[in-house]
């Protein structure tokens, strides 16, 4: 089991040395932080707690577009 995304984790999934890796979404975390700050600065009260779940990625997920975008954000640039 791995934690977070790296080339080593993806390679481990592809080769079978890892069964799964638990991945966070750093772009969403950053987006929600800026959104909360903007709400606070505009006088609104942002949510006290946000549930930004991690995702378990297994080998069969690696070619899915949403997983590619999560693991390799630069891949998404080529799709726009």
């Amino acid at each position: 089991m791995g934690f977070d995304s790296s080339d080593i984790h993806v390679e481990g999934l592809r080769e079978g040395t890892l069964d799964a890796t638990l991945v966070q979404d750093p772009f969403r975390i950053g987006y929600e932080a800026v959104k909360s700050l903007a709400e606070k600065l505009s006088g609104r009260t942002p949510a006290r707690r946000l549930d930004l779940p991690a995702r378990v990625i297994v080998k069969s997920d690696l070619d899915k577009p949403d997983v590619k975008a999560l693991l390799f954000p630069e891949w998404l640039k080529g799709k726009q």
Side-chain angles (χ1 to χ4, degrees), residues 8-72:
I8 291 171
H9 290 119
V10 172
E11 183 179 321
L13 288 172
R14 289 200 191 281
E15 293 176 351
T17 55
L18 276 181
D19 291 325
T21 190
L22 186 64
V23 179
Q24 300 177 82
D25 186 343
F27 287 96
R28 179 147 182 236
I29 292 169
Y31 171 82
E32 294 295 341
V34 171
K35 182 178 159 189
S36 293
L37 179 60
E39 288 174 1
K40 183 71 172 173
L41 292 174
S42 68
R44 296 185 307 249
T45 303
R48 287 184 53 94
R49 182 180 173 106
L50 292 174
D51 181 21
L52 302 175
R55 180 166 177 182
V56 176
I57 307 294
V58 296
K59 182 178 181 177
S60 61
D61 294 330
L62 291 176
D63 292 322
K64 295 178 180 176
D66 61 322
V67 172
K68 284 183 179 180
L70 184 61
L71 297 176
F72 309 106

